[in-house]
Amino acid sequence: MDKIFRHIEQNLDDSIETLFELVRQPSISAQRIGFDKAPQLVAAVLERYGFDAEVLHPPNDGLPSVYGYASASPEAFRRACEASVNAHRADIAPPTLLLYTHYDVQPVDPLHLWDTAPFEPTRKADRFYGRGMSDDKGNIAARLAVIKAFQDEWGGLPCNVKFFAEGEEESGSPNLGEILKEHGWKLTADACIWEGGGRTAQNKPLIYLGLKGVLAVELAVESLSGDAHSSYATVLPSAPWRLLDALSTIKDTSNDRVLIQGFYDDVKAPTAPEEEALSKLPDDSELWRSTFGTDAFVNDLPDDELPLNHLFMPTANIAGLTAGYQGEGMKTVLPAEAVAKMDFRLVRDMDPDDVFSKLRAHLDSYGFNDVQLKLIGAVRPYKTDMMAPWPQLVMRCAAEIYDAEPVVYPTMAGSGPMHEFGELLGIPIASAGIDHPSHQIHAPNENIARDDFVLGAKHIARVMQRFAAGM
Amino acid sequence: MDKIFRHIEQNLDDSIETLFELVRQPSISAQRIGFDKAPQLVAAVLERYGFDAEVLHPPNDGLPSVYGYASASPEAFRRACEASVNAHRADIAPPTLLLYTHYDVQPVDPLHLWDTAPFEPTRKADRFYGRGMSDDKGNIAARLAVIKAFQDEWGGLPCNVKFFAEGEEESGSPNLGEILKEHGWKLTADACIWEGGGRTAQNKPLIYLGLKGVLAVELAVESLSGDAHSSYATVLPSAPWRLLDALSTIKDTSNDRVLIQGFYDDVKAPTAPEEEALSKLPDDSELWRSTFGTDAFVNDLPDDELPLNHLFMPTANIAGLTAGYQGEGMKTVLPAEAVAKMDFRLVRDMDPDDVFSKLRAHLDSYGFNDVQLKLIGAVRPYKTDMMAPWPQLVMRCAAEIYDAEPVVYPTMAGSGPMHEFGELLGIPIASAGIDHPSHQIHAPNENIARDDFVLGAKHIARVMQRFAAGM
């Protein structure tokens, strides 16, 4: 494996050139920018790295994903087994690894806060700047660096590799289910490395094993056929007051408890290993206080209860409020309409469709039949069992490469389409990546540090070798 | 007087041309649009109609008002007296009439609901469309039509006329008090005709003798130094939820009762003449139902209690709500800030400064010291005694011109700076105008109907003549 690790180091310039090539091509899914060329570019890069690549279009006007397949070479498979003293396995067929990534990126605004142009990759000392440089084109390029190392040093891949690059992850993966309905059979695998993960602020290896789901809805009240002069507030019903009444039944803000009947039915307490992992998570409380300029947390949570709440509890968030006049000064208007956008983060076993039904029933039971409820988006939660062999392998390899015990998040607080692969295709999932809090993902001046790229690639290389050798 | 009335009819096209000239010039005080030219245009038009005009700037960056003065002609004064068989008065000095109007207009949004461009006056059959066409440039033009008629037919005005056109009425007259502090001595008069009034939906003459006050405020919560990803809703405080909590303490929506302590202290029951006037008001319930597309009124008020509530009760209205993402689809954001715009309509004897203090104390008493409260505007309420000679004259003239008993509103539900003139300058006030519910004032497709313009002008002409003649 030393040759593999050395290859990753010594060929870093080539790997970064591939990364720059990907970053140069915009691919903002929320704004559908760059998709006339981006999928073809990703497919061409995969082909160059030895994959049979294919652009997978959803059966609608959604943005395509890109898929690549490369078979294991018998020689590399044998060397992988030898490297783990598992040569007795070299007579069976090599296993298949799925690499999940996405090639779409977040919008770049506010543009004026960027020090360099987001789609003109720029090196400054040991960091490389540009939109997608870390999230998630950095992961694509780091994985390809591993592929190249095995090909050059071992004459091929130690296991079969399926490379999946989604095109709508940053937009909530609205069409991934449709793509998998048609092409899912190609994506079956024995294990999956998710995007994300890497290092914590304290430079410990970071692995996560799940993602929350999310239900996004719009609540609208239309109380009048048109806005009225506010002097009519004496007699006409008010859409904003009505919406406020409805919203205030959804959550008891005094204890941050969601009041929708049955909302917490599927919420589980952490398992014993999860409890232990939680206790080892870094204390982010000071970081959050300074980053978000707040003294107190929700429900006056003490610092040591933050991780449990952050990772194992669902939310009811108001993402937007709109009614009436919002400009400078005053317009004395009685608004005919009021709208709230809400998102509910859902933990494993919660079902966004079920929560949507419960929310509708909740509103009706309080007499808010007049509140219109619209489904904007739904992502299902997923979490891999911490004690399963696959995440345990990924953790062991991380401890070796980073020379530190990994910090394991049983789930992230954010959301992503893990459910489609983990639950529907039944593939065990763990993340391994190149991320670090200093990378400013989703923000201006997104970047990647050289060391994160190299370490992340080495980690995946080690995982691939041990995976091929039978873990 | 027949010649005067005929002149108003026969020269309607010229009057409408003056109206169009005023409407073409935007003058949106809330957005400070058009005030580089609007005051000068109004002054130039007044000069053209024989006034000595002057632009009155407040001693700050507020928007100016326009003032014009024209003396009575002895000959016209004599004819006015003769017309009322009051020739014995022709040896004394003619009295002075103040005409209150405003030349600023409401914002035009939502622009897409206009059928014609708001600042391109358009005629369709017997209606004229454009922002300000009725409120209040229609009143300005109708009064000028009367001035012109007297000048052309009687060789001058029967009384001294002070023409006042405010520039910030639609923004709550924030600087009128300042202007009157410096220029109030010019505006003293024996009586004042207010803007507004005209005809009811049933085409009966409509006069009102008072205006509610209004307190406009902004409530803002800033819970974070910047927006956060909504996955942090598990731990970070939410500005929208906090604002909702604060707002929900302000009103009990189940009975529409404002919960601010002492809010109703100065609210008085109607006097006996006011009770009688109330009982004669048209039943607007069906009109309101169809106009605003609603089945039920606030607090399920029965139809016959609507006028009392509408005219004699204060309100707590949410005029605007703003937080987070308001565009298409979803952005999963935890908003750092949430803002509500509120206006409180105040009945006579309520003091906006007092209500503002009570609101601040209310928020503090509920622990909402973090809710920032900003004063946006304050207008004091005012009401003229129904039985005073001046309103009685305006009513008598209306009965004659419209050939129907006038509908008298002891006060309007809306607001305006009547207090400054009625209370501070001590001038008796009654309204006489060109308004009609079909004019869509403050809304898209504002318009004026030909007949309303003509009748309103004739009414004012008759009032001027009788006023000059000693009522």
Side-chain angles (χ1 to χ4, degrees):
Chain A
M1 284 296 292
D2 287 348
K3 282 188 181 174
I4 301 293
F5 294 151
R6 211 159 37 232
H7 186 284
I8 289 170
E9 295 242 16
Q10 289 174 346
N11 292 275
L12 182 66
D13 286 352
D14 290 349
S15 300
I16 296 297
E17 194 33 62
T18 296
L19 174 53
F20 279 18
E21 185 183 356
L22 292 168
V23 169
R24 253 177 228 119
Q25 172 59 48
S27 50
I28 307 171
S29 54
Q31 299 159 340
R32 300 181 75 93
I33 292 173
F35 288 84
D36 51 333
K37 294 189 186 142
Q40 289 71 24
L41 172 68
V42 175
V45 168
L46 286 179
E47 293 270 355
R48 211 167 71 214
Y49 277 83
F51 289 89
D52 287 331
E54 186 183 354
V55 175
L56 307 180
H57 289 274
N60 50 35
D61 71 342
L63 301 169
S65 294
V66 183
Y67 167 65
Y69 177 74
S71 293
S73 94
E75 166 64 10
F77 176 46
R78 190 187 53 77
R79 290 184 67 160
C81 292
E82 284 170 8
S84 279
V85 202
N86 266 342
H88 65 282
R89 275 183 46 98
D91 56 333
I92 62 161
T96 301
L97 182 64
L98 174 67
L99 300 174
Y100 173 85
T101 60
H102 60 88
Y103 70 93
D104 67 323
V105 298
Q106 283 277 323
V108 297
D109 50 281
L111 190 57
H112 68 278
L113 294 183
W114 285 80
D115 296 328
T116 60
F119 298 113
E120 292 172 19
T122 308
R123 174 177 193 153
K124 290 187 197 175
D126 279 343
R127 281 186 193 265
F128 311 96
Y129 292 81
R131 173 57 87 223
M133 196 63 85
S134 180
D135 180 18
D136 194 40
K137 291 171 177 174
N139 269 310
I140 294 177
R143 285 152 201 230
L144 292 176
V146 176
I147 300 295
K148 189 79 167 71
F150 279 118
Q151 285 162 342
D152 288 355
E153 300 295 339
W154 286 12
L157 305 181
C159 59
N160 305 310
V161 174
K162 295 181 175 180
F163 203 112
F164 188 79
E166 198 194 340
E168 293 184 314
E169 195 270 350
E170 298 293 6
S171 296
S173 306
N175 302 296
L176 182 63
E178 291 295 317
I179 290 178
L180 294 188
K181 229 181 248 172
E182 191 176 339
H183 301 284
W185 55 273
K186 298 177 192 169
L187 296 169
T188 54
D190 300 294
C192 170
I193 298 181
W194 204 254
E195 58 121 6
R199 288 200 290 177
T200 67
Q202 294 78 26
N203 288 330
K204 290 190 182 166
L206 182 155
I207 289 167
Y208 65 89
L209 306 177
L211 284 165
K212 284 190 185 174
V214 64
L215 167 68
V217 298
E218 200 175 274
L219 294 95
V221 174
E222 209 186 309
S223 60
L224 303 172
S225 53
D227 288 355
H229 190 257
S230 79
S231 59
Y232 284 103
T234 47
V235 290
L236 294 180
S238 156
W241 278 117
R242 181 74 179 155
L243 179 68
L244 259 55
D245 279 348
L247 291 172
S248 68
T249 67
I250 292 175
K251 186 154 87 168
D252 181 349
T253 54
S254 74
N255 58 12
D256 202 46
R257 191 86 187 157
V258 178
L259 300 173
I260 300 167
Q261 188 159 18
F263 185 75
Y264 294 101
D265 282 357
D266 297 319
V267 178
K268 310 278 191 305
T271 61
E274 286 173 341
E275 285 268 24
E276 203 194 321
L278 275 180
S279 72
K280 291 181 183 165
L281 293 184
D283 180 358
D284 286 327
S285 55
E286 274 315 309
L287 178 73
W288 290 349
R289 281 193 184 89
S290 60
T291 304
F292 298 112
T294 183
D295 292 330
F297 295 107
V298 134
N299 205 16
D300 284 323
L301 280 174
D303 293 357
D304 62 353
E305 288 180 26
L306 294 175
L308 177 67
N309 223 59
H310 194 41
L311 304 183
F312 283 83
M313 291 301 279
T315 66
N317 176 59
I318 297 176
L321 284 176
T322 307
Y325 184 68
Q326 303 184 52
E328 274 303 295
M330 196 67 191
K331 187 178 174 191
T332 46
V333 65
L334 171 56
E337 200 183 3
V339 177
K341 288 183 191 276
M342 290 194 72
D343 64 84
F344 298 84
R345 297 275 167 184
L346 308 177
V347 296
R348 168 128 197 189
D349 296 332
M350 291 179 85
D351 174 348
D353 296 333
D354 176 55
V355 173
F356 185 81
S357 302
K358 284 173 173 166
L359 175 56
R360 178 71 268 173
H362 167 90
L363 291 170
D364 293 347
S365 77
Y366 278 84
F368 290 105
N369 314 64
D370 55 322
V371 175
Q372 299 157 46
L373 183 63
K374 196 164 83 182
L375 182 80
I376 305 284
V379 175
R380 282 163 202 280
Y382 184 73
K383 209 166 63 175
T384 298
D385 187 324
M386 267 191 72
M387 301 312 287
W390 172 242
Q392 290 293 324
L393 171 73
V394 175
M395 290 179 217
R396 279 203 308 280
C397 294
E400 176 194 338
I401 298 294
Y402 290 90
D403 198 22
E405 276 308 303
V407 170
V408 180
Y409 283 78
T411 179
M412 296 297 274
S415 306
M418 219 179 234
H419 177 271
E420 278 70 7
F421 296 92
E423 193 81 20
L424 298 188
L425 300 182
I427 311 173
I429 301 177
S431 76
I434 44 75
D435 200 12
H436 188 270
S438 63
H439 291 181
Q440 311 277 8
I441 70 167
H442 290 207
N445 300 321
E446 180 175 351
N447 67 87
I448 190 170
R450 182 196 180 284
D451 286 355
D452 292 311
F453 188 95
V454 169
L455 284 165
K458 285 181 179 175
H459 181 208
I460 286 183
R462 176 53 99 189
V463 168
M464 276 176 71
Q465 175 263 316
R466 289 206 193 279
F467 169 70
M471 308 200 178
Chain B
M1 285 296 294
D2 287 348
K3 281 188 180 175
I4 301 293
F5 294 151
R6 210 159 38 234
H7 186 282
I8 290 170
E9 295 242 17
Q10 288 174 346
N11 293 275
L12 182 66
D13 286 351
D14 290 350
S15 301
I16 296 297
E17 194 34 61
T18 296
L19 174 54
F20 278 17
E21 185 182 359
L22 293 167
V23 169
R24 250 177 231 119
Q25 172 59 48
S27 51
I28 308 171
S29 54
Q31 298 159 341
R32 300 180 74 93
I33 292 173
F35 288 83
D36 52 333
K37 295 192 186 141
Q40 290 70 24
L41 172 68
V42 175
V45 168
L46 287 180
E47 293 271 355
R48 211 168 71 214
Y49 277 83
F51 288 90
D52 287 331
E54 185 183 355
V55 175
L56 307 180
H57 290 273
N60 51 34
D61 71 342
L63 301 170
S65 293
V66 182
Y67 167 65
Y69 177 75
S71 294
S73 93
E75 167 64 10
F77 177 48
R78 190 187 54 75
R79 290 183 68 160
C81 294
E82 284 170 9
S84 278
V85 203
N86 265 344
H88 64 282
R89 274 184 44 100
D91 57 333
I92 63 161
T96 301
L97 182 65
L98 175 66
L99 300 174
Y100 172 86
T101 60
H102 60 89
Y103 70 92
D104 66 325
V105 298
Q106 282 277 322
V108 296
D109 52 279
L111 191 57
H112 68 279
L113 294 183
W114 285 80
D115 295 329
T116 61
F119 298 113
E120 291 173 20
T122 308
R123 174 178 193 152
K124 291 187 198 174
D126 278 343
R127 281 186 193 265
F128 311 95
Y129 292 81
R131 173 55 90 224
M133 197 62 85
S134 180
D135 179 19
D136 194 39
K137 291 170 177 175
N139 269 310
I140 294 178
R143 285 152 201 229
L144 292 177
V146 176
I147 299 296
K148 190 79 167 69
F150 279 118
Q151 285 162 343
D152 289 356
E153 301 294 340
W154 286 12
L157 304 181
C159 58
N160 305 310
V161 174
K162 296 181 174 180
F163 203 112
F164 188 78
E166 197 194 341
E168 293 183 314
E169 194 268 352
E170 298 291 7
S171 295
S173 306
N175 302 296
L176 182 64
E178 290 296 318
I179 290 177
L180 293 189
K181 231 181 247 172
E182 192 176 340
H183 301 284
W185 56 272
K186 298 178 190 168
L187 297 171
T188 53
D190 300 293
C192 171
I193 298 181
W194 204 254
E195 59 123 3
R199 287 201 290 179
T200 67
Q202 295 78 27
N203 290 331
K204 291 190 181 165
L206 181 156
I207 289 167
Y208 65 89
L209 305 177
L211 284 166
K212 286 191 184 175
V214 65
L215 167 67
V217 298
E218 201 175 273
L219 294 95
V221 174
E222 208 185 311
S223 60
L224 302 173
S225 52
D227 289 354
H229 189 257
S230 79
S231 59
Y232 283 102
T234 48
V235 290
L236 295 180
S238 158
W241 279 117
R242 181 74 180 155
L243 179 68
L244 259 55
D245 278 349
L247 291 172
S248 69
T249 67
I250 292 175
K251 186 156 86 167
D252 181 349
T253 54
S254 73
N255 59 12
D256 203 48
R257 190 88 185 158
V258 177
L259 300 173
I260 301 167
Q261 188 160 15
F263 185 75
Y264 294 100
D265 282 357
D266 296 320
V267 178
K268 309 277 192 307
T271 61
E274 285 172 343
E275 284 270 22
E276 201 194 323
L278 273 181
S279 72
K280 290 182 182 164
L281 293 184
D283 179 358
D284 286 328
S285 55
E286 272 315 309
L287 178 74
W288 290 349
R289 281 192 185 90
S290 61
T291 303
F292 298 112
T294 183
D295 292 331
F297 295 106
V298 136
N299 206 15
D300 285 323
L301 279 174
D303 293 356
D304 62 353
E305 288 181 26
L306 294 175
L308 177 66
N309 220 60
H310 194 42
L311 303 183
F312 284 83
M313 290 301 279
T315 66
N317 176 58
I318 298 177
L321 284 176
T322 308
Y325 182 69
Q326 305 183 51
E328 274 303 295
M330 196 68 191
K331 186 177 173 192
T332 47
V333 67
L334 170 56
E337 201 184 3
V339 177
K341 288 183 191 274
M342 289 193 72
D343 63 84
F344 298 84
R345 298 277 166 184
L346 309 177
V347 296
R348 171 133 195 184
D349 295 331
M350 291 178 85
D351 175 347
D353 296 333
D354 176 55
V355 173
F356 184 81
S357 302
K358 284 173 173 165
L359 175 57
R360 178 72 268 173
H362 167 91
L363 291 170
D364 293 347
S365 77
Y366 278 84
F368 290 105
N369 313 64
D370 55 321
V371 174
Q372 298 157 46
L373 184 63
K374 197 164 82 183
L375 182 81
I376 305 286
V379 175
R380 282 164 201 279
Y382 184 74
K383 216 165 59 175
T384 298
D385 187 323
M386 268 191 70
M387 303 311 287
W390 172 242
Q392 291 292 326
L393 171 72
V394 175
M395 290 179 217
R396 278 202 308 279
C397 294
E400 176 194 338
I401 297 295
Y402 291 89
D403 198 20
E405 275 309 303
V407 170
V408 180
Y409 283 78
T411 178
M412 292 299 272
S415 306
M418 219 180 234
H419 177 271
E420 279 69 8
F421 296 92
E423 193 82 21
L424 299 187
L425 299 183
I427 311 172
I429 301 178
S431 76
I434 44 75
D435 200 11
H436 188 270
S438 64
H439 290 180
Q440 311 276 8
I441 70 167
H442 290 206
N445 301 320
E446 180 175 349
N447 67 86
I448 191 169
R450 182 197 180 285
D451 286 355
D452 293 311
F453 188 95
V454 170
L455 284 164
K458 286 181 178 174
H459 181 207
I460 286 184
R462 175 55 96 188
V463 168
M464 277 176 71
Q465 175 262 316
R466 289 206 193 278
F467 169 70
M471 306 201 180

